[in-house]
Amino acid sequence: MPTFQRGHTTIAYTDTGAPEGKPDAPVVFFAHGLLFSGRMFEPQIEHLRADFRCVAIDFRGQGNSPRALGGYDMDTLTVDVAELLRHLQIPVVNFVGLSMGGFVGIRLAARYPESVHTLTLMDTAATAEEPANRTKYKTLAKVYRLTGVRPLRTRVAPIMLAPENVDAPWVEEWISRLDRNDRAGMIKAIESVADRDPCEDEAVRIIAPTLIMVGAEDAATPPAKSRRLGELIATTRFHEIPGAGHSATLERPDEVNAILSAFLSEYTM
């Protein structure tokens, strides 16, 4: 997997390159949710790569990106994305962010409007984390530091997935990858998400056409938060996905692919 060096920080990413015969194909940039990596968009990348160049980041301390000395806050992650795009000489993207990736996407679209052609926000919000959730996530992080993720599977899966998906075939592979992550880096990522600042004042400045998707059974970021996000951004489309929780790209990939393809086709083809 290629990496990008930003100061002392190494950031991993994937890049399909331009499709054959389409050197100027538009770029779709994917930003994953907490506890995952860019691989959570594999169904979407496979679906889109014939028509788009697909780039996916692994945020600091997650996936194939090693632990960083600091900078896990949403502002720094936003600059990480901007610098990666500059490194790849990509001037503009169709940004797709889920949960934590959406927190970054809101900031990127507000601060670098010339760089975001369209914005897709999935299972995300512009508000700060609820105090009760903040306490719960930090407690789980402390246990995770000592035990790893497997003893916490029955606590973590219902936060990330709809009840009917907690035993899906791909869940064991996800848990195995998560178990191999550097614990200190993952804990910093968890704490940064729990302590994130709200960004509603930035969401209202977004000018990019925006698609909002949320799992109907999302326990981490309930649909009402996504609906509120749609009220803040000027031009939005909203889709609630039945049978999905907080990880819709993996729980209901066919539905996500169809909605995302239709949206991208309208603005890029």
Side-chain angles (χ1 to χ4, degrees):
M1 175 176 282
T3 59
F4 158 68
Q5 201 71 26
R6 184 181 165 217
H8 296 291
T9 301
T10 301
I11 299 168
Y13 64 95
T14 60
D15 183 356
T16 63
E20 185 175 356
K22 300 178 181 179
D24 298 321
V27 177
V28 182
F29 187 95
F30 295 95
H32 64 87
L34 183 66
L35 307 185
F36 285 91
S37 71
R39 294 187 68 167
M40 79 176 310
F41 294 105
E42 284 183 339
Q44 289 69 51
I45 291 172
E46 187 60 31
H47 182 72
L48 295 171
R49 63 183 301 168
D51 295 306
F52 297 89
R53 178 181 177 183
C54 297
V55 179
I57 193 171
D58 283 2
F59 287 121
R60 298 173 178 227
Q62 300 185 75
N64 285 296
S65 291
R67 184 197 336 176
L69 295 175
Y72 288 79
D73 59 282
M74 300 306 110
D75 290 340
T76 304
L77 299 184
T78 301
V79 178
D80 284 347
V81 171
E83 291 297 324
L84 175 56
L85 294 179
R86 188 173 295 112
H87 170 73
L88 295 174
Q89 298 183 329
I90 298 174
V92 62
V93 298
N94 298 279
F95 189 98
V96 180
L98 189 148
S99 189
M100 180 177 69
F103 307 151
V104 172
I106 293 168
R107 290 164 171 81
L108 188 79
R111 299 174 190 179
Y112 303 89
E114 72 285 353
S115 296
V116 179
H117 181 62
T118 68
L119 177 64
T120 297
L121 300 172
M122 302 183 63
D123 300 289
T124 196
T127 52
E129 193 57 68
E130 299 292 338
N133 283 346
R134 187 182 304 125
T135 300
K136 176 171 65 175
Y137 297 160
K138 288 189 172 184
T139 300
L140 289 173
K142 290 178 181 177
V143 177
Y144 167 71
R145 182 190 296 273
L146 297 174
T147 68
V149 71
R150 287 197 177 278
L152 294 171
R153 176 171 176 165
T154 57
R155 298 281 302 279
V156 173
I159 297 172
M160 308 305 289
L161 309 169
E164 64 199 82
N165 300 322
V166 295
D167 294 316
W170 57 267
V171 174
E172 176 58 32
E173 183 181 2
W174 164 53
I175 293 293
S176 295
R177 289 185 197 140
L178 186 55
D179 213 30
R180 294 193 294 269
N181 260 102
D182 181 284
R183 292 185 193 177
M186 184 62 74
I187 288 166
K188 288 182 180 179
I190 294 170
E191 291 174 344
S192 292
V193 166
D195 291 333
R196 71 185 184 275
D197 292 326
C199 58
E200 291 173 296
D201 59 332
E202 299 203 76
V204 298
R205 303 206 309 267
I206 292 173
I207 60 174
T210 301
L211 169 65
I212 298 174
M213 286 189 273
V214 62
E217 300 179 58
D218 189 341
T221 309
K225 289 185 177 289
S226 289
R227 291 189 182 279
R228 169 58 180 159
L229 189 55
E231 294 171 358
L232 296 171
I233 300 173
T235 306
T236 60
R237 307 279 179 84
F238 181 88
H239 290 270
E240 192 169 307
I241 303 174
H246 193 60
S247 309
T249 59
L250 294 168
E251 295 177 87
R252 291 292 181 268
D254 291 343
E255 290 88 336
V256 170
N257 290 350
I259 295 167
L260 181 58
S261 290
F263 176 69
L264 292 174
S265 295
E266 181 175 352
Y267 288 100
T268 63
M269 300 306 226

